[in-house]
Amino acid sequence: MLHILYIIAITAEAMTAALSAGRRNMDWVGVCMIAWVTALGGGTIRNILLGHYPMTWVSHPEYLLITAGAALFAALIASFMRRLKMLFLYLDALGLVVFTIIGCQLAEEMHLPVIIILLSGMITGCAGGVLRDVLCNDIPLLFRKEVYASVAIVTGGVYLGMEAMGSSAEWATVIAAIVGLILRLLAIRYEWQMPKFVYHEEWE
């Protein structure tokens, strides 16, 4: 089930990434590159930092085809996609929790400390979107206002907490995904934002 959700998530991430590329007038190569970075970049950065090889998309090159195909399809139906904005926001929320749990599981298998497991989950869930925004010359939403990284941390914390209380990995995955998804959807519904640090004074 987690694998199926992963495929759905990377497909949705690739489609929304295509729109970001389109807003920057990129050609089809740029559209595919932004889609790959967004959908698969979080896991890639995680694997590099943890020294875990081969990369997911190297072991499963079909992921490159799936995400590129989804991105190009999104480019063709771009005018229609704005009607599905809420659907893709929900799919993005699903992707966040799925990526986070997968990242936590991989770090667990490597017997890493708890804080590294949580960071592994957060990086897997969030880094792709950061890379997308940087390549599209935008300040990442993650750094401005979105309740996003905190959802990843909560999701990972619930997952590890459930396991610590004796739950199976399957139940821990289900409960963590439900909690993370509800939290992210509530943040979207009520437009929750993280506190901002504003500083304008010049140093002399």
Side-chain angles (χ1 to χ4, degrees):
M1 179 59 72
L2 198 62
H3 179 71
I4 294 173
L5 293 176
Y6 176 79
I7 297 298
I8 294 172
I10 62 172
T11 301
E13 294 288 347
M15 292 182 74
T16 55
L19 300 185
S20 296
R23 283 192 285 269
R24 293 300 180 184
N25 302 318
M26 296 186 185
D27 61 15
W28 67 271
V29 175
V31 170
C32 290
M33 289 295 295
I34 296 299
W36 288 332
V37 164
T38 306
L40 306 171
T44 298
I45 291 178
R46 174 206 65 215
N47 286 354
I48 291 173
L49 293 175
L50 298 183
H52 185 272
Y53 299 98
M55 300 297 174
T56 303
W57 48 269
V58 174
S59 299
H60 300 278
E62 64 271 18
Y63 294 166
L64 296 174
L65 298 176
I66 291 171
T67 49
L72 294 175
F73 178 69
L76 292 175
I77 63 166
S79 59
F80 177 74
M81 279 187 62
R82 63 181 179 181
R83 303 177 189 176
L84 304 175
K85 180 179 179 180
M86 289 307 299
L87 172 62
F88 279 96
L89 283 176
Y90 295 153
L91 290 175
D92 179 75
L94 176 65
L96 173 63
V97 298
V98 169
F99 293 159
T100 297
I101 293 170
I102 289 174
C104 288
Q105 289 177 343
L106 186 142
E108 259 191 324
E109 291 172 1
M110 298 177 68
H111 307 290
L112 297 174
V114 170
I115 184 64
I116 303 302
I117 294 173
L118 289 174
L119 286 175
S120 175
M122 185 184 73
I123 290 169
T124 308
C126 303
V130 173
L131 290 174
R132 175 202 61 214
D133 291 341
V134 170
L135 291 175
C136 291
N137 200 30
D138 294 323
I139 298 175
L141 286 174
L142 183 69
F143 300 155
R144 285 189 285 161
K145 60 180 182 178
E146 288 287 322
V147 177
Y148 208 82
S150 51
V151 172
I153 292 174
V154 170
T155 301
V158 172
Y159 175 79
L160 293 178
M162 291 295 295
E163 285 195 326
M165 290 188 295
S167 294
S168 65
E170 290 77 13
W171 273 110
T173 296
V174 170
I175 299 301
I178 291 173
V179 171
L181 192 58
I182 290 174
L183 182 58
R184 177 60 184 151
L185 293 180
L186 286 174
I188 293 172
R189 173 66 178 81
Y190 295 105
E191 299 182 352
W192 292 344
Q193 297 185 8
M194 295 295 290
K196 297 178 182 178
F197 173 59
V198 181
Y199 186 82
H200 295 298
E201 293 186 19
E202 296 289 340
W203 282 29
E204 296 183 7

